[in-house]
Amino acid sequence: MKIMPPNFRAGHYQVQALLLAFLIVIGFAAQSHAEPLSLDNSSRMSLLGIARYCITEEGQPLASVQEWKSWTPVKEAVIPLEEGKALWIRLEFEQGARAGKYYLTTSAPWAASVIFYNSADNGRPLLSGTGAFVDHRYSRPTLEFELKPGEGTTIHVRLASYRRVPAEFVLYSESGFLQNQTRQFMLLGLFGGIIFMLLILHGLMYGGLRDPLLRRYLLWMISVAVYFVFRTRLSLLILPASLAGYSQWMHTVSVCLAAIGAIRFGRFYLSLAGADYRTDLAARIIQYGATVPIFVLPVQPNLAHEMAALAGLFMGPPMFIIALLGLKKRIRDSQLFLIAWSLPIVAAIVENISFIIEQMENRILLPLAFVAEFLLFSLVIRRKIQESDAKKISDELTLSRVSQELSYARKIQRDLMPSSQHILENARVDVLYEPRQEVGGDYCDVVYPAPDYVGLFVADVTGHGMTAALDAALVRLALRSVYKERFSAAATLAAMNTFLYAHLHFRFVSAIYCVLNLRTGMGAVAGAGHPPGLQIRREQDPLILESSGTLLGVLKDWEGKDTAISLEQGDRLFLYTDGLLQSEDRMLPHTQEDELHFARERKLFSNAPPGLKELLDRSREVRGGPATDDVAIIQLQYSGGRESI
């Protein structure tokens, strides 16, 4: 082995050290000062890897930054930024043989503050803004500059934002910039045009149909359209300069409203309220949670914007899961909802991945996904509306048939009622029946137990409508089967109770019955839980004919007593149902209700008009409004016997 002398080895190590130091200096110089980028009027050029950046304190002036030695190549499209810091980007250009006009712009529009400094203009700031940029010709920060052949320039860009800064810049030639702007506005115009046509079409449909699902669909589309106006920063071209500074606030609100509108539509579309209460409650919580950034906005705008971005990104998957649950429970249209709802979710994921990788300008996928989603939902909504219209037609036909059947039932019930006037020896009987609906549960009748006798009967069956009318027919059958040769009102009601107890199930009847000898004017009255009868004598207070029996059909054995009556010439006898005096204040305590009923009774029958129609009209004034129940009245005017004094 050959041994090197010590002085040779020492010299070798010195050469290695000098070489290493030289490489470090060269590397540092290459890192700090890159060669200017030669421009040749290329239509588009991404400046990733070409631009250099440094991070300074927020108040650092341009002069201090120009002397900065440590500039790092921009390799990431988004650079994290701490609070109180600013990102500076340095770009050096040198024009080729031909003059050129260029547009330097960020790929993403969401930087909070951007200032351009061009050395060709002695470092004067050319464009600045806080959320909304002063130059309203562009929807994102853009610097326009020209270079003569062989001319060079250095551009410094100061950016500030919340937590992260878009660091990728793109340089366009004049033709490339115009092509990009044209393509962008054409795609946004296509999106806006489709949304506008859908809004007009469905707006006209809603004007005629007033469908609640269609209303939620329209509100959702409007909220999405407003969201995209602020997402693409078209708002900067629309809003006046005095309001442009609030663009970021409006963007936050629009994100929340779009999320709320989407969930509200999805809940109604899947009919969650009627299908699954717990799932609907979960969807409601998500919907109300989307409003939180709006309340945070006045206190912490940057935090609210981050929360709104998360809301817009993470509100979709929960509704997707809810739709999966609906599919499992076989809720109708859940499968189509899953397909349509997944389109914006996939588009948002692809856009965010493209943000991370390289192409931050590729922001047209989400609006296209929303258009496809709206078109899919419009097809389903059209089918739902057609089904709704068919159901409405079916319901109208059913209603017409029911109305016709009720009309027949009313006619039958009218035929079962006695005629409105009966002229008898020594008496005249008037009958009035006014059901609240087509048919009712009140019933009245005039029967003749024996020669020279008349029976007056009034009953009120529980309930209203068809069921009560059928029960009233049972009451008529019961009366007609037992009244013959019975001169005791109480005995007649007891016999009726035996029949009704066997045929009325969990229902009951209040009734009052009067048997009167037309020659003598003597008779008996008995009641079964019914308002008492009244005997009216000229220039005297009404005489109340008390009745104390229980309701018919409740107990197997009915017990009641007759109350004797004696009519004189000119006396009037009234039997009626409680609908004559009853009003909406039925929730009064029982004692107060009785007092009110008695007061109304005295007011109505004191100086009562001769006709029942007039009496019914007067009862409206006494009640203070229209009748709230069926009304049945029988009046007997007695003309036999001696004249009353």
Side-chain angles (χ1 to χ4, degrees):
M1 180 190 302
K2 186 177 180 180
I3 307 282
M4 294 291 181
N7 58 349
F8 178 83
R9 284 184 294 175
H12 179 70
Y13 290 142
Q14 288 176 355
V15 170
Q16 286 182 334
L18 288 173
L19 181 60
L20 180 61
F22 176 76
L23 290 175
I24 291 174
V25 170
I26 292 298
F28 178 79
Q31 183 180 15
S32 303
H33 300 284
E35 290 294 325
L37 177 64
S38 179
L39 302 180
D40 57 357
N41 293 311
S42 298
S43 60
R44 183 188 183 279
M45 181 183 300
S46 174
L47 300 180
L48 279 176
I50 299 172
R52 311 262 166 179
Y53 80 92
C54 68
I55 297 176
T56 68
E57 298 298 325
E58 195 170 14
Q60 197 88 1
L62 174 64
S64 174
V65 174
Q66 287 175 329
E67 297 177 359
W68 201 271
K69 301 301 182 182
S70 179
W71 292 87
T72 306
V74 177
K75 296 182 179 180
E76 302 292 336
V78 178
I79 295 178
L81 192 65
E82 297 178 5
E83 189 174 356
K85 301 289 186 178
L87 177 72
W88 286 84
I89 291 181
R90 176 189 176 107
L91 298 159
E92 296 183 59
F93 301 116
E94 185 177 276
Q95 183 60 27
R98 292 185 302 165
K101 185 176 182 179
Y102 300 96
Y103 295 84
L104 179 66
T105 181
T106 59
S107 294
W110 33 260
S113 175
V114 179
I115 304 176
F116 291 95
Y117 299 91
N118 190 349
S119 63
D121 292 308
N122 300 318
R124 179 173 58 87
L126 299 180
L127 182 65
S128 64
T130 53
F133 306 103
V134 173
D135 194 338
H136 281 209
R137 292 175 298 167
Y138 313 114
S139 61
R140 61 188 65 193
T142 303
L143 174 66
E144 177 184 340
F145 65 95
E146 296 185 42
L147 292 176
K148 298 176 182 178
E151 184 181 6
T153 186
T154 301
I155 296 174
H156 290 82
V157 187
R158 179 189 179 279
L159 299 100
S161 189
Y162 179 69
R163 294 190 179 178
R164 59 177 187 164
V165 180
E168 181 189 8
F169 276 74
V170 179
L171 186 69
Y172 290 96
S173 66
E174 185 175 20
S175 60
F177 183 75
L178 292 176
Q179 290 174 4
N180 179 69
Q181 291 288 93
T182 301
R183 181 171 60 254
Q184 180 184 1
F185 284 113
M186 281 182 61
L187 291 172
L188 291 175
L190 177 64
F191 169 75
I194 294 174
I195 296 296
F196 181 74
M197 286 189 295
L198 287 174
L199 285 173
I200 293 295
L201 174 64
H202 292 92
L204 292 173
M205 291 172 61
Y206 177 73
L209 300 174
R210 301 290 178 181
D211 184 78
L213 177 63
L214 196 55
R215 181 177 69 251
R216 288 165 173 78
Y217 177 68
L218 284 170
L219 291 175
W220 179 34
M221 276 200 295
I222 292 172
S223 66
V224 169
V226 172
Y227 160 67
F228 275 103
V229 168
F230 291 100
R231 180 182 189 263
T232 58
R233 295 306 192 267
L234 287 176
S235 55
L236 302 178
L237 310 179
I238 299 171
L239 294 174
S242 59
L243 295 178
Y246 296 98
S247 176
Q248 194 79 345
W249 285 51
M250 298 178 187
H251 176 263
T252 300
V253 174
S254 68
V255 172
C256 296
L257 293 180
I260 293 168
I263 298 170
R264 189 165 176 260
F265 168 77
R267 285 178 48 233
F268 199 86
Y269 178 90
L270 294 172
S271 303
L272 293 180
D276 189 337
Y277 173 76
R278 288 179 296 179
T279 305
D280 183 61
L281 180 61
R284 281 178 180 271
I285 293 173
I286 297 171
Q287 177 181 325
Y288 298 144
T291 64
V292 173
I294 298 176
F295 296 103
V296 177
L297 188 59
V299 183
Q300 290 287 340
N302 291 328
L303 178 60
H305 184 63
E306 290 275 322
M307 292 174 66
L310 291 174
L313 189 60
F314 294 110
M315 288 296 171
M319 286 300 296
F320 188 84
I321 295 172
I322 288 173
L324 283 175
L325 294 175
L327 186 63
K328 183 179 179 181
K329 295 180 180 180
R330 297 183 179 180
I331 297 177
R332 190 177 180 186
D333 295 323
S334 296
Q335 187 172 4
L336 185 59
F337 182 88
L338 284 171
I339 297 172
W341 196 264
S342 63
L343 294 177
I345 296 176
V346 173
I349 292 172
V350 172
E351 281 195 357
N352 279 277
I353 291 175
S354 67
F355 265 40
I356 295 171
I357 298 175
E358 52 179 345
Q359 289 295 328
M360 295 174 66
E361 291 179 298
N362 186 18
R363 294 168 63 84
I364 198 62
L365 290 179
L366 190 58
L368 291 178
F370 269 111
V371 167
E373 182 181 33
F374 288 147
L375 290 174
L376 283 175
F377 278 133
S378 66
L379 295 176
V380 180
I381 289 173
R382 181 183 176 185
R383 177 177 57 76
K384 284 180 174 286
I385 290 175
Q386 289 175 343
E387 292 176 353
S388 177
D389 288 343
K391 186 177 183 301
K392 285 180 181 178
I393 294 173
S394 176
D395 290 344
E396 288 175 359
L397 292 174
T398 302
L399 183 62
S400 176
R401 185 170 61 253
V402 169
S403 178
Q404 190 176 18
E405 291 175 356
L406 284 174
S407 179
Y408 291 150
R410 181 183 179 88
K411 183 178 182 302
I412 292 171
Q413 190 176 45
R414 288 288 186 183
D415 292 341
L416 294 176
M417 292 289 180
S419 58
S420 59
Q421 190 174 85
H422 301 255
I423 306 299
L424 309 174
E425 184 180 358
N426 298 332
R428 189 184 84 174
V429 178
D430 296 301
V431 179
L432 176 67
Y433 174 60
E434 287 288 341
R436 186 183 177 190
Q437 301 175 4
E438 288 291 332
V439 291
D442 285 6
Y443 174 69
C444 53
D445 206 349
V446 179
V447 295
Y448 305 96
D452 299 328
Y453 281 86
V454 65
L456 308 177
F457 181 79
V458 173
D460 186 358
V461 179
T462 53
H464 303 280
M466 188 65 74
T467 303
L470 293 174
D471 288 343
L474 278 176
V475 173
R476 180 182 188 275
L477 180 60
L479 173 66
R480 293 284 177 146
S481 63
V482 301
Y483 77 92
K484 290 287 189 180
E485 300 300 328
R486 293 183 188 271
F487 307 109
S488 167
T492 304
L493 291 180
M496 289 182 64
N497 181 75
T498 302
F499 178 88
L500 294 174
Y501 181 80
H503 293 86
L504 290 180
H505 301 288
F506 305 106
R507 296 188 299 277
F508 51 85
V509 179
S510 71
I512 187 169
Y513 182 57
C514 173
V515 182
L516 183 67
N517 187 316
L518 294 174
R519 287 192 175 184
T520 64
M522 304 296 290
V525 175
H530 198 84
L534 291 175
Q535 181 180 345
I536 308 297
R537 186 162 290 173
R538 283 186 299 218
E539 299 181 0
Q540 293 186 23
D541 291 336
L543 176 63
I544 298 176
L545 306 175
E546 295 288 351
S547 57
S548 58
T550 58
L551 296 166
L552 301 180
V554 177
L555 301 175
K556 184 176 182 180
D557 297 320
W558 184 88
E559 294 183 0
K561 295 181 180 180
D562 285 329
T563 298
I565 61 170
S566 177
L567 299 183
E568 297 180 359
Q569 187 177 355
D571 286 357
R572 298 161 70 189
L573 178 67
F574 287 95
L575 305 180
Y576 62 92
T577 56
D578 58 1
L580 182 66
L581 298 172
Q582 187 172 277
S583 62
E584 295 292 347
D585 48 17
R586 287 193 277 179
M587 299 307 293
L588 292 171
H590 186 68
T591 54
Q592 294 185 24
E593 186 177 351
D594 288 345
E595 292 175 2
L596 181 61
H597 182 93
F598 180 70
R600 288 176 174 173
E601 191 176 52
R602 289 179 61 85
K603 184 177 179 180
L604 177 62
F605 289 102
S606 296
N607 301 317
L612 294 186
K613 285 287 187 183
E614 293 82 357
L615 185 70
L616 185 63
D617 293 339
R618 187 175 175 183
S619 71
R620 293 190 180 95
E621 300 176 7
V622 173
R623 285 191 308 267
T628 59
D629 200 355
D630 305 328
V631 177
I633 315 171
I634 291 181
Q635 173 187 229
L636 182 141
Q637 300 183 52
Y638 189 63
S639 57
R642 64 185 182 87
E643 185 175 358
S644 60
I645 300 176

